[in-house]
Amino acid sequence: MNCEELIRYLSDYIDNNLDEDLRADAEEHLRTCHNCHVVLDTTRKTILMYKGSIKDPIPAPRRVALFDRLLKAVSERQDCPPEEE
Ligand SMILES: [Zn+2]
């Protein structure tokens, strides 16, 4: 799994919606990639903040926009390890 894939699955990862294989892949990547670990941490906190303040889950369009922004931020970084298969 590379950084882009990780970010794509991040929402489902946080919600525990990934199947076992994908979850294992995501965890493997998170162990080796500091950037994605930080993104996960930030995203989780952001989601918890939203949930805590408005009681409802983040509305889908806003969530998509959030992940688009994260994906862009990560893909612009040069210091992530290369994709491993
Ligand atoms: Zn990464």
Side-chain angles (χ1 to χ4, degrees):
M1 183 174 288
N2 62 23
C3 294
E4 266 187 48
E5 288 171 318
L6 191 280
I7 300 297
R8 243 176 239 136
Y9 292 129
L10 195 61
S11 177
D12 287 330
Y13 178 82
I14 290 171
D15 290 338
N16 283 318
N17 284 335
L18 290 182
D19 66 40
E20 263 180 53
D21 284 353
L22 274 176
R23 189 169 182 86
D25 277 0
E27 279 171 356
E28 173 72 28
H29 182 87
L30 285 164
R31 260 200 301 278
T32 55
C33 180
H34 178 71
N35 285 334
C36 287
H37 194 86
V38 171
V39 170
L40 170 67
D41 208 46
T42 308
T43 306
R44 194 180 260 153
K45 279 179 190 151
T46 306
I47 288 171
L48 287 177
M49 213 169 65
Y50 273 118
K51 281 183 175 165
S53 60
I54 57 176
K55 300 264 191 265
D56 292 319
I58 301 177
R62 183 180 291 177
R63 218 174 189 193
V64 167
L66 174 68
F67 283 106
D68 271 359
R69 223 167 53 214
L70 288 170
L71 184 60
K72 191 161 179 289
V74 166
S75 59
E76 280 168 0
R77 295 201 183 190
Q78 300 295 316
D79 54 348
C80 256
E83 180 177 356
E84 301 171 59
E85 291 293 347

